[in-house]
Amino acid sequence: MKTKAEQKKTDSLATFRAKPKPQAKRTVKNGKPSNELVFSAYTEGNDSVFPRILGLYVKPGSVVADVTYGKGVFWRDVPEGAYQLRATDLQDGIDCRKLPYKDNELDCVVFDPPYMHTPGGSAHTVHNQFEDHYRNNSTGNRTNSKYHEAVLELYIEGGKEAHRVLRNRGVFIVKCQDEVCANRQRFTHVEIMAAYEKMGFVAEDLFVIVRNNRPGVSRVVQQVHARKNHSYFLVFWKSNNGKQRWEPPQ
């Protein structure tokens, strides 16, 4: 036989269970629902994939510095005027390691340096030769490193400069490719992520670009490693507070 207090508690519990709290209706705050999504891997060119990444991570109208602009391949399919583009390149006298911008000035930096060092040319003639642009075997190169270490050092020095000029929560889009150097597997994208996180960047996304044609190869007696036929777009953002989380552009 329950006491009055016990019966009252039982009745209250039964009432609570019988009347679940209504859930608030979910609302979409930033645009209309869509199944036109950006995916993590493509067999398309840089000029096709880059605008998708830019649209996903950088608000239209933002100030974007492409510090290795070259021929502007990334921007071929980006609508003119969609962003405030600052296009520079070493060929125009602007070194990505010494940019003409103030601290915390930019919303986004795009960085695509030569990512493979092939002394004397040989198999990778389709790429911008490292020594053609950021010579590591001549004077004026600001590095004593060689081969893969010289490539990695360029990424690190360019990353430090990008971190200086980006505002808090600014986006850093980096293109890179792994390589085998001196018969040693070098996962460049992993090394870059580790180095940039120490600078204060957060690695937020990774996109794989697979070539749709056969890469140039030299004849070999015995293949040791897989020939690379893919590259990456890495997306970082600057965080002045390690506890922050990424928020999409509004």
Side-chain angles (χ1 to χ4, degrees):
M1 191 70 181
K2 295 183 178 178
T3 64
K4 289 185 177 180
E6 291 174 336
Q7 186 60 48
K8 185 177 181 181
K9 182 178 180 181
T10 301
D11 292 345
S12 298
L13 183 60
T15 300
F16 175 78
R17 289 174 174 168
K19 297 180 179 178
K21 185 178 180 181
Q23 294 184 348
K25 186 178 180 180
R26 295 183 62 186
T27 58
V28 178
K29 297 181 180 179
N30 191 23
K32 299 179 180 178
S34 173
N35 57 5
E36 296 295 326
L37 303 179
V38 178
F39 296 100
S40 61
Y42 288 94
T43 55
E44 303 174 27
N46 293 327
D47 57 343
S48 175
V49 179
F50 176 74
R52 295 185 172 107
I53 300 172
L54 197 64
L56 183 61
Y57 280 97
V58 184
K59 181 180 178 180
S62 298
V63 179
V64 181
D66 187 335
V67 300
T68 47
Y69 184 77
K71 297 180 180 179
V73 173
F74 289 177
W75 296 89
R76 285 175 180 169
D77 289 339
V78 177
E80 187 174 353
Y83 296 90
Q84 300 180 58
L85 175 62
R86 307 285 188 266
T88 61
D89 196 278
L90 185 66
Q91 298 179 64
D92 303 322
I94 306 298
D95 192 322
C96 63
R97 296 164 292 188
K98 191 176 181 180
L99 297 172
Y101 307 116
K102 299 177 181 177
D103 295 355
N104 310 306
E105 180 179 349
L106 305 176
D107 300 311
C108 176
V109 172
V110 180
F111 187 35
D112 177 31
Y115 44 72
M116 194 172 292
H117 181 215
T118 55
S122 71
H124 308 299
T125 55
V126 296
H127 297 291
N128 292 331
Q129 296 296 312
F130 182 84
E131 55 266 48
D132 285 348
H133 297 277
Y134 293 90
R135 299 177 184 279
N136 67 329
N137 292 322
S138 302
T139 57
N141 52 19
R142 297 174 52 189
T143 177
N144 292 319
S145 301
K146 291 185 177 181
Y147 311 122
H148 178 78
E149 278 64 33
V151 174
L152 188 61
E153 186 173 317
L154 176 58
Y155 273 101
I156 292 173
E157 293 302 315
K160 289 179 180 176
E161 185 66 348
H163 190 274
R164 181 186 70 78
V165 299
L166 278 171
R167 63 171 174 79
N168 184 38
R169 305 189 74 86
V171 176
F172 189 27
I173 302 175
V174 179
K175 186 76 192 300
C176 71
Q177 185 178 37
D178 300 334
E179 67 171 335
V180 174
C181 183
N183 208 29
R184 180 185 172 191
Q185 185 74 262
R186 305 302 298 263
F187 294 113
T188 310
H189 74 288
V190 177
E191 295 175 295
I192 290 173
M193 284 182 173
Y196 285 2
E197 287 185 355
K198 290 180 180 178
M199 296 178 196
F201 283 114
V202 176
E204 191 63 33
D205 221 332
L206 178 151
F207 299 85
V208 180
I209 313 301
V210 180
R211 293 181 59 152
N212 55 16
N213 58 358
R214 180 182 172 86
V217 295
S218 300
R219 298 180 66 183
V220 297
V221 176
Q222 182 178 9
Q223 184 174 5
V224 178
H225 300 95
R227 177 72 172 87
K228 311 297 182 192
N229 67 336
H230 69 283
S231 58
Y232 305 94
F233 276 107
L234 307 178
V235 178
F236 302 87
W237 57 279
K238 178 179 174 180
S239 174
N240 289 342
N241 180 348
K243 297 180 180 179
Q244 291 178 314
R245 292 190 178 184
W246 173 248
E247 297 177 359
Q250 301 297 317

